[in-house]
Each structure stands twice: as C-alpha cells, then as structure tokens.
C-alpha cells in the first residue's frame, strides 16, 4: 500500500526557481509570509527552505492538498513552515487574523471564480500593513488581449472546464487592487508567458 500523500505538480519544478529569484529581490531578510492556494506544497518547501529568515504559512481549501503540504514539509524537514490552514478565498471567515509581512498566491486566480480574487484582495487589504507586498504569479491578459497563443488556448480550456474560470485581465486586477489600498503593480515577465505581479500596500 502506498500511503505517501505527497502530490506532484510538474509546473512547480519549472517555475519555482524563477519565482524564488523574484522573492529574493523583493523580500527583506525576515518576515512572516502567507501563501494562498499552496496546492501540493512543493513551492512551500522549496521557497521556504531558500528563505530561511521567513516563517511560511501555507494554506489550501482542499483537504488532500493540505495533507500533501504537511507531508512534503515533514519529508523535506523544512523547519520554517507552519501546518497548512484551510483558507478559502471565497469565505471571509476562513482567513487568519494576521498581520503578515507578505502574501503569495501562485496560479489560483484563473482557476477559481472571480469572487476568489475579490476575496483575496479584500483579505490582503486587511492582513498586509503599509509597504507589504501581495505577490501573484500566473498568466494574464494585457489590455483585454492574450499575450500568447498558448495563453489563449489555456484560457479556452479553463472556461470549458468551468465557465467561472479564466485568464484574468491585468488592468481589471490592478483596478481591484487599488480599491483595497494597493499601488500600481510591479510586473515581472516570467517563463512560459506568465507574469509575477507585485502589489504593494500603500
Ligand atoms: C492550479 S493549483 C495551484 C497550486 C499551487 N499554487 C501551484 O502553483 O502548484 C490551484 C489551487 O488553488 C486552490 N483553490 C481553488 N479555489 C480556491 C479558493 N477559492 N481559495 C483558495 N484556494 C483555492 C486549489 O485548491 C488548488 O490547490
């Protein structure tokens, strides 16, 4: 019997080093980071093990994902990762009280209803003090247009799976961010036509 509950998300192996490089640029040496939608937990163990001054709080609404996060944490022996929380961006009561020094959300806002993005920014506005970043990673449309054929195909696939899902428009997300007290985003081009988008609490 295989009782290893660790999940494997192959994309994490491709994007984790570029994401780490951005975090190393923008984060101070120490702090407390809340990761939303941690999924398998592979980002958490990789990123937290390279950012040893940070206390890492992973989360996911999916119980199997939380089991995977805990199993990866134990298997890799990463000391600065807390047990995962059951945060659902759609449920305002599921968030911790904070504050946090940074929030990270990788590949969630296009694979969830738009209301999850609304919930994410509402929470970030509450949980992040002035100067703290909300760091998002994923594909975006710019000015209503896809930036690559592969993103257009991905968007069509997402919408076929669930009409509430879909690649978001960066300007729409930035407008939402402004309503929660965030400045204009710093935008970093990433591999495979993804972006890292960093909103700083004003
Ligand atoms: C494509 S996976 C990305 C996981 C991980 N961040 C990664 O990059 O491998 C999307 C994740 O979003 C989570 N998710 C979906 N809806 C959510 C919501 N409303 N609030 C928080 N997380 C959500 C899912 O459980 C899943 O783990």
């Amino acid at each position: 019997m295989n009782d290893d509950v660790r999940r494997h998300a192959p994309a994490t192996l491709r994007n984790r080093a570029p994401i780490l490089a951005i975090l190393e640029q923008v984060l101070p040496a120490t702090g407390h980071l809340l990761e939303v939608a941690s999924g398998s937990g592979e980002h958490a163990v990789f990123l937290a093990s390279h950012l040893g001054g940070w206390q890492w709080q992973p989360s996911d609404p999916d119980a199997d994902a939380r089991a995977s996060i805990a199993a990866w944490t134990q298997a890799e022996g990463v000391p600065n990762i807390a047990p995962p929380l059951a945060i659902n961006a759609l449920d305002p009561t599921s968030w911790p009280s904070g504050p946090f020094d940074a929030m990270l959300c990788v590949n969630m806002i296009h694979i969830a209803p738009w209301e999850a993005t609304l919930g994410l920014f509402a929470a970030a506005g509450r949980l992040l003090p002035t100067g703290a970043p909300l760091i998002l990673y994923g594909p975006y449309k710019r000015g209503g247009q896809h930036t690559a054929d592969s993103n257009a195909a991905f968007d069509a696939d997402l919408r076929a799976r669930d009409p509430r899902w879909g690649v978001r428009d960066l300007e729409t997300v930035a407008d939402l961010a402004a309503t929660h007290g965030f400045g204009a985003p710093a935008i970093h081009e990433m591999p495979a036509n993804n972006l890292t988008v960093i909103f700083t609490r004003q």
Side-chain angles (χ1 to χ4, degrees):
M1 190 180 106
N2 181 3
D3 56 3
D4 186 351
V5 297
R6 284 178 296 173
R7 288 179 168 183
H8 296 271
T12 61
L13 295 179
R14 297 189 291 272
N15 60 29
R16 65 186 192 174
I19 292 172
L20 175 63
I22 299 284
L23 297 185
E24 287 176 333
Q25 270 179 46
V26 303
L27 294 180
T30 61
H32 192 194
L33 182 145
L34 175 61
E35 184 186 10
V36 179
S38 302
S40 67
E42 290 164 287
H43 280 137
V45 291
F46 178 79
L47 298 170
S49 66
H50 285 83
L51 297 166
W54 281 77
Q55 290 301 314
W56 202 274
Q57 177 60 70
S59 70
D60 205 280
D62 181 87
D64 291 342
R66 292 196 300 279
S68 177
I69 296 162
W72 271 110
T73 302
Q74 186 178 25
E76 301 288 315
V78 187
N80 52 327
I81 302 179
L85 299 176
I87 295 174
N88 183 339
L90 296 170
D91 177 2
T93 69
S94 68
W95 294 86
S97 51
F100 291 90
D101 302 301
M103 287 172 59
L104 173 67
C105 183
V106 178
N107 281 333
M108 189 275 282
I109 71 171
H110 52 288
I111 309 183
W114 172 245
E115 287 74 16
T117 307
L118 300 180
L120 174 68
F121 275 95
R126 286 195 308 274
L127 299 178
L128 295 176
T130 302
L134 169 61
I135 302 162
L136 306 182
Y137 175 95
Y140 288 88
K141 290 188 276 187
R142 308 285 295 268
Q145 303 295 318
H146 286 294
T147 60
D149 289 347
S150 57
N151 282 4
F154 182 46
D155 189 29
D157 178 62
L158 289 170
R159 290 173 192 279
R161 288 162 63 192
D162 188 325
R164 300 170 305 167
W165 296 3
V167 172
R168 309 300 176 195
D169 195 55
L170 182 55
E171 289 78 7
T172 307
V173 175
D175 287 348
L176 170 65
T179 69
H180 291 286
F182 290 88
I187 300 166
H188 301 260
E189 306 269 349
M190 304 296 283
N193 303 303
N194 288 293
L195 298 178
T196 294
V197 181
I198 303 176
F199 294 96
T200 302
R201 188 79 169 85
Q202 304 296 287

